[in-house]
Amino acid sequence: MARSMILPGMEQALEKHDVRLRRCTSRVRTEVDTAHMQFVQSQLAAISSVIEHAPTPRYLELPLVRIIPHSRNERFFGRQSILDLMRDCLKSSGPRYQRRFALSGFGGAGKTQIALEYTYRHLDDYKLPDEVKTDPDHQAILKDISYTSHGFPLALAQVAGFIRTGGRPLADFLTMIHDKKNSAAIASLPVSNYHATSLTVWDLSFQSLSNQSRKVLEILVYLDPDSVPYEILERGCVAKSTTEDTNIDLSIMADPVGLRTALQNLRGQSFIRTNPELKTMSIHRLVQEQAFHHLCVEPHRQRRAFEESLFLLSNCQPEFPNVTKHWSPELFRDSEMCLSHIKRLAAVFFKTPGAFKSLENKLGKIIFECASYQFQRFHHKAATETFALARKVIGMGPSPNELILSDCYRMEGRMFNESGQPVQAAESGRQAQKYALEAVSKGFISKDDQRIPRILTGLGNSLSQLEEYDDALSAQLEAKRLCGDVPPEQSDAITIIQLNWGFLMYRCGDLKSAEQILRATLEASPKTPPALYALGNTLLAQGNIEEAIAVHLKGLEIYIESFGDQHALVGRCAYKVGEILLLWKSDPKRA
């Protein structure tokens, strides 16, 4: 409603017509769907009646409408005893009696494939298709391989991939796999029947991978297995900072042809699946687990792959032009893309932190950046946990980086201030100040760094919410002094200080001073919605209702222009306008 007040009249009318059109269209679609469903039900009832009353019931040749989520696996083999058991159990004892059959087992054991095969076999009134024909010369070998693999499709897919890509002729494969079965490494794995067979095949497949394919697979060990964007490999392989001291070189992934060849190799041996439309890849969790075990045999490679994964994700994080500024949500698309993979990397780190010593600060930094993304998206509960996780990781290192810890506490304090938790915000502010001063003493930043006044003004904001006005005023004045003559394009700290100073005057009850400070803030930075929000509230408290509404609407317009009409800040501002219309203007319709 508030947004419509700031749009021209013609656009408002068009928007109303558009809403009505969408409603009518939706209603028509619903009526058409209902009519179609009723027609289909009546036709099915008529057909059933004809069949039941016919002297010699017979099957009618009707067009089939089937909704099955997956296509049939034409290479399905064996499992006949399970299919027979399902058939016996699922035989219907009456026209309206429904039976159920539950399949359980390890991931990759073939539950979905068995269910699909049963579905396709019994689509046409339980008529079984002809037996699948195979080459007589290969049938016995295929049966032996299936028996050796215990019929698990994941292991069989690995066998097929290995043979298909030229690993060994079919006739020689059984000899190879039997020679490998008694190794100590395989026998030591749990659930030996399944994992031993799978690991044997994976071990053979690992040996046939190219160096680039192996590198990609080892990196996938540390990422979220469900959906890995190609972009992480393509863009993250090049360092975004030339000053960073690292000896990691993943530039081979910047070659589109080479990367595509590596992915084709992995896909051909059933290590991964790719989605060309979404430009993503996925890896089965069992494959990921076994690849991790294979990697752990050589600790230096295990650490190396972890460093490479960390390198990729760090380079995909947003490049902040100035970390002292209020970060805007549009900067965090890349953080959203990386979030699940960074969480996976952190989970692996906590399993064996000793293997990744001295990497704590780098990992903690990208976790902190993810927390900042969650905060900007108003996921405050998740952000609180992620900030704490970042500090925990950094604290486990031999030399925790005070600058990253200070930034972490500073952003957390800002989040607590904006969510109305001044006690937690004040504590975070004090911790941020403590670590910032330590960072200055160690030469990480200069004493003039704009982080420090930002920390102080945030702390002053917390203290003013706690009604500790004298300490709050001292913090704001010191923050203003530290800003010095820094130009606004290098830091928006002075704008935020004046904003918080205006808030302080408002909370103290000095409305005239608050109005004067906030107007000065807007004169220097006209497009500062928080200052408009504060000024609107100040004017409202003085009884200037119409001007207060106009100021809030201007802030709303800037928020919509910056973030779109679905952002939480837009909702908060629109709610305030509606509240004023309802409580101060007694206009519930416009509200």
Side-chain angles (χ1 to χ4, degrees), residues 9 25 76 151 157 160 180-181 216 225 287 310 323 394 441 489 502 541 561 572 582-583:
T25 303
F76 187 92
K180 291 274 185 178
K181 274 188 69 75
V216 172
V287 176
L310 182 57
V323 295
I394 294 170
S441 68
E489 60 270 14
E561 180 185 340
R572 185 177 73 170
L582 179 63
L583 300 180

Side-chain angles (χ1 to χ4, degrees), residues 183-200 202 289-290 293-294:
S183 73
I186 295 173
S188 65
L189 291 174
V191 196
S192 58
N193 283 346
Y194 181 36
H195 286 79
T197 303
S198 301
L199 186 56
T200 300
W202 282 322
E289 177 189 348
Q290 297 304 336
H293 286 304
H294 196 271

Side-chain angles (χ1 to χ4, degrees), residues 52-356:
E52 288 176 4
H53 295 91
T56 308
R58 55 180 179 169
Y59 297 103
L60 303 178
E61 296 295 331
L62 298 173
L64 297 176
V65 179
R66 297 166 179 168
I67 304 175
I68 303 174
H70 302 287
S71 59
R72 188 172 190 174
N73 182 1
E74 300 298 336
R75 298 179 180 178
F76 187 92
F77 181 82
R79 305 300 182 88
Q80 191 58 48
S81 59
I82 298 177
L83 293 169
D84 290 342
L85 184 60
M86 292 176 67
R87 167 70 173 156
D88 293 338
C89 179
L90 296 175
K91 281 181 179 177
S92 178
S93 60
R96 296 185 181 275
Y97 185 79
Q98 186 180 46
R99 290 179 177 269
R100 296 175 175 86
F101 189 94
L103 291 165
S104 64
F106 298 110
K111 302 181 293 296
T112 303
Q113 294 301 320
I114 293 173
L116 282 173
E117 181 63 19
Y118 181 87
T119 300
Y120 279 105
R121 285 195 185 188
H122 300 289
L123 277 176
D124 301 321
D125 293 322
Y126 297 95
K127 286 185 176 181
L128 289 172
D130 294 335
E131 182 179 354
V132 178
K133 296 181 180 180
T134 59
D135 186 340
D137 296 332
H138 291 162
Q139 192 169 24
I141 299 175
L142 290 172
K143 286 183 178 179
D144 286 344
I145 290 176
S146 179
Y147 177 80
T148 305
S149 301
H150 303 281
F152 288 105
L154 190 61
L156 291 171
Q158 293 292 328
V159 171
F162 181 76
I163 295 172
R164 188 169 60 247
T165 55
R168 184 70 74 179
L170 181 62
D172 297 343
F173 187 81
L174 274 178
T175 304
M176 290 183 63
I177 200 168
H178 282 305
D179 288 344
K180 291 274 185 178
K181 274 188 69 75
N182 295 322
S183 73
I186 295 173
S188 65
L189 291 174
V191 196
S192 58
N193 283 346
Y194 181 36
H195 286 79
T197 303
S198 301
L199 186 56
T200 300
V201 178
W202 282 322
D203 185 54
L204 295 172
S205 298
F206 286 147
Q207 295 175 21
S208 67
L209 289 176
S210 66
N211 290 336
Q212 191 167 0
S213 296
R214 184 190 297 269
K215 186 177 287 292
V216 172
L217 181 62
E218 290 174 351
I219 287 172
L220 291 178
V221 164
Y222 294 107
L223 303 182
D224 179 12
D226 292 328
S227 180
V228 181
Y230 295 167
E231 186 178 353
I232 289 180
L233 303 182
E234 294 169 340
R235 189 160 57 85
C237 64
V238 180
K240 65 182 180 183
S241 172
T242 57
T243 60
E244 186 176 356
D245 182 20
T246 178
N247 59 353
I248 293 176
D249 181 14
L250 294 176
S251 57
I252 56 174
M253 293 187 185
D255 174 18
V257 176
L259 180 59
R260 181 179 178 183
T261 301
L263 296 180
Q264 285 178 337
N265 190 4
L266 292 171
R267 187 176 63 243
Q269 298 212 36
S270 300
F271 282 118
I272 66 170
R273 291 183 179 182
T274 57
N275 188 325
E277 294 182 3
L278 297 179
K279 295 184 179 180
T280 61
M281 70 193 90
S282 60
I283 179 172
H284 195 287
R285 282 171 168 74
L286 281 175
V287 176
Q288 188 182 51
E289 177 189 348
Q290 297 304 336
F292 179 71
H293 286 304
H294 196 271
L295 190 60
C296 289
V297 175
E298 302 179 59
H300 70 282
R301 287 180 55 206
Q302 176 190 6
R303 180 184 173 88
R304 183 72 177 179
F306 186 93
E307 286 186 272
E308 291 170 344
S309 303
L310 182 57
F311 179 80
L312 289 170
L313 294 171
S314 297
N315 293 328
C316 284
Q317 287 289 80
E319 183 72 34
F320 304 115
N322 188 325
V323 295
T324 68
K325 289 190 175 183
H326 270 237
W327 299 337
S328 299
E330 66 267 16
L331 292 175
F332 286 89
R333 185 195 71 84
D334 295 331
S335 276
E336 184 174 13
M337 175 181 71
C338 295
L339 182 60
S340 63
H341 305 291
I342 291 173
K343 287 183 175 180
R344 162 71 183 172
L345 196 65
V348 176
F349 168 84
F350 280 114
K351 288 181 180 178
T352 55
F356 311 115

